C-alpha cells in the first residue's frame, strides 16, 4: 500500500510540475509575441529617424561634413530612449511643413551633448535648409529629453551624434 501511495504521489507531482512548465512556456511565448507586436509597431519609427554616435563633443562650428562622415562609433556612452525617437518622428510633419523643406528627402543634423547628457548645440548639415527649417529643428531638439547614460562606463563625456530624419 505504501508503494502504491508513493507511486501515486510521484505521478501526481510529475503531473503538477509538467503543468507548471506548460503554463510558464505559454506565458513566455505570449510575452514574446506581445514584444514582437510592440517592436513591429515601432519599426516605422526607426526607419524615419536614426541617431548615430559620432565621437567626442567638439566645437560644432569647426566641424565640416567631410570630417565627421566616416567617424561612426559602434558603441556609445550615451543612448536615446525610444520615446525620443518617437517624438522626433511625430515632429517630422512640423519640421518639413514648408514647401521648400518638404523637398528635402533626408535631413541631417549634428547634435552635441555635454557630460550630463544635455543638448548643448546642433548644426543642420543640409545646404538646402532654409532659416525656417533650422529654427523648427532647433525648437524640436530643445524639447528632446536628455540622453541616457549606458551602464558600464567609467566616465561619461560629451559626444556628437548624427540625427537623420526622413521626410
Amino acid at each position: 500500500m505504501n508503494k502504491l501511495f508513493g507511486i501515486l504521489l510521484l505521478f501526481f507531482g510529475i503531473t503538477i510540475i509538467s503543468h507548471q512548465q506548460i503554463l510558464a512556456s505559454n506565458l513566455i511565448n505570449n510575452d514574446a509575441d506581445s514584444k514582437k507586436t510592440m517592436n513591429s509597431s515601432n519599426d516605422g519609427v526607426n526607419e524615419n529617424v536614426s541617431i548615430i554616435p559620432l565621437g567626442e563633443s567638439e566645437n560644432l562650428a569647426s566641424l565640416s561634413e567631410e570630417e565627421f562622415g566616416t567617424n561612426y562609433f559602434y558603441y556609445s556612452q550615451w543612448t536615446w530612449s525610444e520615446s525620443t525617437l518617437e517624438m522626433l518622428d511625430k515632429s517630422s510633419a512640423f519640421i518639413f511643413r514648408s514647401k521648400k523643406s518638404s523637398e528635402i528627402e533626408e535631413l541631417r543634423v549634428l547634435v552635441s551633448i555635454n557630460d550630463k547628457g544635455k543638448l548643448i548645440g546642433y548644426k543642420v548639415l543640409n545646404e538646402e535648409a532654409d532659416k525656417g527649417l533650422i529654427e523648427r529643428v532647433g525648437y524640436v531638439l530643445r524639447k528632446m529629453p536628455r540622453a541616457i547614460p549606458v551602464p558600464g562606463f567609467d566616465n561619461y563625456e560629451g559626444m556628437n551624434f548624427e540625427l537623420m530624419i526622413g521626410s
Side-chain angles (χ1 to χ4, degrees):
M1 185 74 171
N2 284 339
K3 287 183 181 180
L4 182 62
F5 183 70
I7 291 173
L8 286 175
L9 186 61
L10 178 66
F11 180 71
F12 183 70
I14 291 172
T15 305
I16 289 176
I17 290 172
S18 64
H19 183 67
Q20 293 284 339
Q21 288 176 341
I22 290 171
L23 287 176
S25 67
N26 285 340
L27 286 175
I28 290 170
N29 289 339
N30 289 341
D31 189 39
D33 289 341
S34 67
K35 286 182 181 178
K36 285 180 187 175
T37 304
M38 286 174 37
N39 287 340
S40 65
S41 67
N42 288 335
D43 285 344
V45 171
N46 293 334
E47 290 177 5
N48 292 334
V49 177
S50 65
I51 302 177
I52 302 169
L54 294 176
E56 292 183 17
S57 181
E58 298 177 18
N59 184 2
L60 291 177
S62 67
L63 289 176
S64 66
E65 191 169 339
E66 294 83 26
E67 288 178 326
F68 78 90
T70 59
N71 295 331
Y72 292 132
F73 276 139
Y74 293 105
Y75 63 90
S76 172
Q77 301 165 352
W78 299 96
T79 188
W80 302 90
S81 66
E82 280 293 320
S83 63
T84 303
L85 296 175
E86 187 174 322
M87 184 207 73
L88 290 169
D89 186 47
K90 288 180 180 178
S91 300
S92 65
F94 170 71
I95 292 172
F96 296 108
R97 74 178 184 181
S98 71
K99 183 178 179 182
K100 185 175 179 181
S101 63
S102 65
E103 294 172 356
I104 299 173
E105 290 182 23
E106 183 177 65
L107 181 66
R108 296 174 58 205
V109 181
L110 186 63
V111 177
S112 184
I113 62 171
N114 64 7
D115 60 347
K116 305 287 186 205
K118 184 179 178 184
L119 177 76
I120 58 172
Y122 69 95
K123 181 179 180 182
V124 176
L125 300 172
N126 295 60
E127 293 178 5
E128 63 271 14
D130 60 348
K131 182 180 177 184
L133 176 66
I134 294 170
E135 288 176 358
R136 289 190 298 274
V137 168
Y139 176 80
V140 170
L141 291 179
R142 286 188 293 275
K143 301 292 182 189
M144 272 180 28
R146 290 182 180 221
I148 302 166
V150 175
F153 287 93
D154 294 333
N155 57 2
Y156 296 92
E157 299 173 358
M159 288 190 69
N160 291 325
F161 290 86
E162 182 181 7
L163 168 64
M164 291 183 280
I165 304 173
S167 59

